[in-house]
Amino acid sequence: MVKSYPACREAILDIKPYVPGKPIEEVQRELGIKDVIKLASNENPLGPSPDAVMALREAAEKIYLYPDGSCYYLKQALAAKLEVSEEQLIIGNGTDEILKMLGEAFVDPGDEVIVGDPTFSEYEFAAQVMGGRAVKVPCRDFRLDLEAMAGAVGPRTRLVFLCNPNNPTGTIVSQEEVDVFLNRVPSHVLVVLDEAYYEYVTSPAYPDSLAYVRDGRPNVIVLRTFSKIYGLAGLRVGYGIAHPEVIKALNRVREPFNVNSLAQVAARAALQDEYHVGKSREVNNEGKEFLYEQFRALGLKYVPTESNFIFVDIGRDSREVFKKMLAKGVIVRTGDIFGYPTFLRITIGTRRQNQRLIDALREVLSEVP
Ligand SMILES: *Cc1c(COP(=O)(O)O)cnc(C)c1O
């Protein structure tokens, strides 16, 4: 019997499934190592806020009920904190879901979205899944080139994704640059400011992006997440802040119960725990200085970061170094997936984790000429 398979949509044939950082359990299973650390997915090395964990325990008995599809209380808390209205907020099953909703709501087949290169891969996915395509604009000195990105806007452009700080480079674009950019981009193009690492930024040049939304600008959406500094990556909660008309469009394509009840409760508790956020930022800043110093001592060039990860040039095939690091129980991310085969993207960990990373890296670099 000749087998034939149901044909999928042609538009999705070019999509490469997302390659996540290797899970700790997978390394333990495959290599038989017990003590494994993961510095590959920019998770908070301090874990979640204890308040969030406590709130989760209490909420566990309520999981037989459907979650609140409107995320009423979480929106209320966010609106108060961010000084915006509930109508300017959308909550997603991770920011990733909001990225997909942006594609579903704004991209028709043949449309274009503009992205940096390198940048976060999910932006291209959001276009491809709808039959659109990503126009990739090369970074300059590892920074998004806003002038070139504005120049790439054409009649089919629907979305521009500004990853700020940019993943994987950790660099930012400034308030001044974004101001100029927004004045150049036509108002029918929606500009997505992905600020997944917002809470880690220390530069005073970083834009006050919510002011664009508060001022009523209709073509800006700011995205943030509970996955990074808030330490809730496993629960999946992210949010967007935009003009109510943009939010309305996104709500048309949103699944009814897209954010689960545990995620809603934990996010609310995490949001209130400013001590945990402050502590996490402090540990990150210390770790950053330590790693800079150690990289310099190893003769490695790195890109100064405004986030909780560092893009570092190890001058060797990063896949080979990655494998040898894995064997020592240290998971990092290779640069080849971003088009930088001699780079690693390393999440800043706790002091002990950073020391272990450097010890492993020093040994591996001496083995790989
Ligand atoms: C981690 C990350 C996200 C968000 O992830 P979610 O877990 O889906 O909220 C979004 N954008 C960038 C650039 C990221 O690095």
Side-chain angles (χ1 to χ4, degrees), residues 318-355:
S318 67
R319 294 229 45 98
E320 202 175 329
V321 171
F322 167 79
K323 273 187 222 145
K324 287 188 185 286
M325 301 272 292
L326 263 196
K328 296 180 187 296
V330 179
I331 315 173
V332 292
R333 209 65 184 273
T334 59
D336 57 335
I337 48 172
F338 302 108
Y340 287 78
T342 67
F343 280 66
L344 293 176
R345 193 196 68 191
I346 298 172
T347 305
I348 300 167
T350 60
R351 193 178 301 194
R352 283 183 62 148
Q353 289 175 333
N354 294 335
Q355 186 63 57

Coordinates of all heavy atoms in Angstrom, one line a residue, residues 318-355:
S318 N 32.4 26.6 18.5 CA 31.7 26.6 19.8 C 31.0 25.3 20.0 O 30.7 25.0 21.2 CB 30.7 27.8 19.8 OG 29.7 27.6 18.8
R319 N 30.7 24.6 19.0 CA 30.0 23.3 19.2 C 30.9 22.3 19.9 O 30.5 21.5 20.8 CB 29.5 22.7 17.9 CG 28.5 23.5 17.2 CD 27.3 22.7 16.7 NE 26.8 21.7 17.7 CZ 25.8 21.9 18.5 NH1 25.1 23.0 18.5 NH2 25.4 20.9 19.3
E320 N 32.2 22.3 19.5 CA 33.2 21.4 20.2 C 33.4 21.8 21.6 O 33.4 20.9 22.5 CB 34.5 21.5 19.4 CG 35.4 20.3 19.6 CD 36.6 20.4 18.7 OE1 36.5 21.1 17.6 OE2 37.7 19.9 19.1
V321 N 33.5 23.1 21.9 CA 33.7 23.6 23.3 C 32.4 23.3 24.1 O 32.5 22.8 25.2 CB 34.0 25.1 23.3 CG1 33.9 25.7 24.7 CG2 35.3 25.4 22.6
F322 N 31.2 23.5 23.5 CA 30.0 23.2 24.1 C 29.9 21.7 24.6 O 29.6 21.5 25.8 CB 28.8 23.5 23.1 CG 27.5 22.9 23.5 CD1 26.7 23.6 24.5 CD2 27.0 21.7 23.0 CE1 25.4 23.1 24.8 CE2 25.7 21.2 23.3 CZ 25.0 21.9 24.3
K323 N 30.3 20.8 23.7 CA 30.3 19.4 24.1 C 31.2 19.0 25.2 O 30.8 18.3 26.1 CB 30.6 18.5 22.9 CG 29.4 18.2 22.0 CD 29.8 17.2 20.9 CE 29.2 17.6 19.6 NZ 30.0 17.4 18.4
K324 N 32.4 19.6 25.2 CA 33.3 19.3 26.3 C 32.9 20.0 27.6 O 33.1 19.5 28.7 CB 34.7 19.8 25.9 CG 35.4 19.0 24.8 CD 36.8 19.4 24.6 CE 37.5 18.6 23.5 NZ 37.8 17.2 23.9
M325 N 32.2 21.1 27.5 CA 31.7 21.8 28.7 C 30.6 20.9 29.3 O 30.4 20.7 30.5 CB 31.1 23.2 28.4 CG 32.1 24.1 27.8 SD 33.0 25.1 29.0 CE 31.7 26.1 29.7
L326 N 29.7 20.4 28.4 CA 28.6 19.5 28.8 C 29.1 18.3 29.6 O 28.6 18.0 30.7 CB 27.9 18.9 27.6 CG 26.6 19.5 27.1 CD1 25.9 18.5 26.1 CD2 25.7 20.0 28.2
A327 N 30.2 17.7 29.1 CA 30.8 16.6 29.8 C 31.3 16.9 31.2 O 31.4 16.1 32.1 CB 32.0 16.0 29.0
K328 N 31.5 18.2 31.5 CA 31.9 18.7 32.8 C 30.7 19.2 33.6 O 30.8 19.8 34.6 CB 32.9 19.8 32.7 CG 34.2 19.4 32.1 CD 35.2 20.5 32.0 CE 36.5 20.1 31.3 NZ 37.2 19.0 31.9
G329 N 29.5 19.0 33.0 CA 28.2 19.3 33.7 C 27.9 20.8 33.6 O 27.1 21.3 34.4
V330 N 28.4 21.5 32.6 CA 28.0 22.9 32.4 C 27.4 23.1 31.1 O 28.0 22.9 30.0 CB 29.3 23.8 32.5 CG1 28.9 25.3 32.4 CG2 30.0 23.6 33.9
I331 N 26.1 23.5 31.1 CA 25.3 23.8 29.8 C 25.4 25.2 29.5 O 25.0 26.1 30.3 CB 23.9 23.4 30.0 CG1 23.7 22.0 30.7 CG2 23.2 23.3 28.6 CD1 22.3 21.6 31.0
V332 N 25.9 25.5 28.3 CA 25.8 26.9 27.8 C 25.1 26.9 26.4 O 24.6 25.8 26.0 CB 27.2 27.5 27.7 CG1 27.8 27.7 29.0 CG2 28.1 26.7 26.8
R333 N 25.1 28.0 25.7 CA 24.5 28.1 24.4 C 25.5 28.3 23.3 O 26.4 29.2 23.5 CB 23.5 29.2 24.4 CG 22.3 29.0 23.5 CD 21.5 27.8 23.9 NE 20.4 27.6 23.0 CZ 19.2 28.1 23.1 NH1 18.9 29.0 24.1 NH2 18.2 27.8 22.2
T334 N 25.5 27.6 22.2 CA 26.5 27.9 21.1 C 26.0 29.0 20.2 O 24.8 29.3 20.0 CB 26.7 26.6 20.2 OG1 25.4 26.3 19.7 CG2 27.2 25.5 21.0
G335 N 27.0 29.7 19.6 CA 26.6 30.9 18.8 C 26.3 30.5 17.4 O 25.7 31.4 16.6
D336 N 26.5 29.3 17.0 CA 26.2 28.9 15.6 C 24.8 29.1 15.2 O 24.5 29.6 14.1 CB 26.7 27.5 15.3 CG 26.0 26.5 16.2 OD1 25.6 26.9 17.3 OD2 25.9 25.3 15.8
I337 N 23.9 28.9 16.1 CA 22.4 29.1 15.8 C 22.1 30.6 15.5 O 21.1 30.9 14.9 CB 21.5 28.6 17.0 CG1 22.0 29.1 18.3 CG2 21.4 27.1 17.0 CD1 21.0 28.7 19.5
F338 N 23.0 31.5 16.0 CA 22.8 32.9 15.7 C 23.7 33.4 14.6 O 23.7 34.6 14.3 CB 23.1 33.7 17.0 CG 22.3 33.3 18.2 CD1 22.9 32.7 19.3 CD2 20.9 33.6 18.3 CE1 22.1 32.3 20.4 CE2 20.2 33.3 19.4 CZ 20.8 32.6 20.4
G339 N 24.4 32.4 13.9 CA 25.3 32.8 12.9 C 26.7 33.3 13.4 O 27.5 33.9 12.6
Y340 N 27.0 32.9 14.6 CA 28.4 33.3 15.2 C 29.0 32.0 15.7 O 28.9 31.7 16.9 CB 28.2 34.3 16.3 CG 28.0 35.7 15.7 CD1 26.7 36.0 15.3 CD2 29.0 36.6 15.6 CE1 26.4 37.3 14.8 CE2 28.7 37.9 15.0 CZ 27.4 38.2 14.6 OH 27.2 39.4 14.1
P341 N 29.6 31.2 14.8 CA 30.1 29.8 15.2 C 31.2 29.8 16.2 O 31.5 28.8 16.8 CB 30.5 29.2 13.9 CG 30.7 30.3 12.9 CD 29.8 31.4 13.4
T342 N 31.9 30.9 16.5 CA 32.9 30.9 17.5 C 32.5 31.6 18.8 O 33.3 31.9 19.7 CB 34.2 31.6 17.0 OG1 34.0 33.0 16.8 CG2 34.7 31.0 15.7
F343 N 31.2 31.8 19.0 CA 30.7 32.5 20.2 C 29.9 31.6 21.0 O 29.4 30.6 20.6 CB 29.8 33.7 19.8 CG 30.5 34.9 19.4 CD1 31.3 35.0 18.2 CD2 30.4 36.1 20.2 CE1 31.9 36.2 17.8 CE2 31.1 37.3 19.8 CZ 31.8 37.3 18.6
L344 N 30.0 31.9 22.3 CA 29.0 31.2 23.3 C 28.2 32.3 23.9 O 28.6 33.5 24.0 CB 29.8 30.5 24.4 CG 30.6 29.3 24.1 CD1 31.4 28.9 25.4 CD2 29.8 28.2 23.5
R345 N 26.9 32.0 24.1 CA 26.1 32.9 24.9 C 25.9 32.2 26.3 O 25.4 31.1 26.4 CB 24.7 33.1 24.3 CG 23.9 34.2 24.9 CD 22.4 34.2 24.6 NE 21.8 33.0 25.3 CZ 20.6 32.6 25.0 NH1 19.8 33.2 24.1 NH2 20.1 31.6 25.6
I346 N 26.4 32.9 27.3 CA 26.5 32.4 28.7 C 25.6 33.2 29.6 O 25.8 34.4 29.7 CB 27.9 32.3 29.2 CG1 28.8 31.5 28.2 CG2 28.0 31.9 30.6 CD1 30.3 31.5 28.5
T347 N 24.7 32.5 30.3 CA 23.9 33.2 31.3 C 24.7 33.4 32.6 O 25.5 32.5 33.0 CB 22.7 32.3 31.7 OG1 21.9 32.0 30.5 CG2 21.7 33.0 32.7
I348 N 24.6 34.6 33.1 CA 25.3 34.9 34.4 C 24.6 34.2 35.5 O 23.4 34.3 35.7 CB 25.3 36.4 34.6 CG1 26.0 37.2 33.5 CG2 25.9 36.8 36.0 CD1 25.7 38.7 33.4
G349 N 25.4 33.4 36.3 CA 24.8 32.6 37.4 C 25.1 33.1 38.7 O 25.5 34.3 38.9
T350 N 25.0 32.3 39.7 CA 25.5 32.7 41.1 C 27.0 32.7 41.1 O 27.6 32.2 40.1 CB 25.0 31.6 42.1 OG1 25.6 30.3 41.8 CG2 23.5 31.5 42.1
R351 N 27.6 33.2 42.2 CA 29.0 33.2 42.3 C 29.7 31.8 42.1 O 30.6 31.7 41.3 CB 29.4 33.8 43.7 CG 30.8 34.2 43.8 CD 31.1 34.8 45.1 NE 30.3 35.9 45.4 CZ 30.5 36.8 46.4 NH1 31.5 36.6 47.2 NH2 29.7 37.8 46.6
R352 N 29.1 30.8 42.7 CA 29.6 29.5 42.6 C 29.5 28.9 41.2 O 30.4 28.3 40.7 CB 28.9 28.5 43.5 CG 29.3 28.6 45.0 CD 28.6 27.6 45.8 NE 28.9 26.3 45.3 CZ 28.9 25.2 46.1 NH1 28.6 25.4 47.4 NH2 29.2 24.0 45.7
Q353 N 28.3 29.2 40.6 CA 28.1 28.7 39.2 C 29.1 29.4 38.2 O 29.7 28.8 37.4 CB 26.7 29.0 38.8 CG 25.7 28.1 39.4 CD 24.2 28.5 39.1 OE1 23.9 29.7 38.7 NE2 23.3 27.5 39.1
N354 N 29.3 30.7 38.4 CA 30.2 31.4 37.6 C 31.6 30.9 37.7 O 32.4 30.8 36.7 CB 30.2 32.9 37.9 CG 28.8 33.6 37.6 OD1 28.1 33.1 36.7 ND2 28.5 34.6 38.3
Q355 N 32.0 30.6 38.9 CA 33.4 30.0 39.2 C 33.5 28.7 38.5 O 34.5 28.4 37.8 CB 33.6 29.9 40.7 CG 35.1 29.5 41.0 CD 36.1 30.5 40.6 OE1 36.0 31.7 41.0 NE2 37.0 30.1 39.7

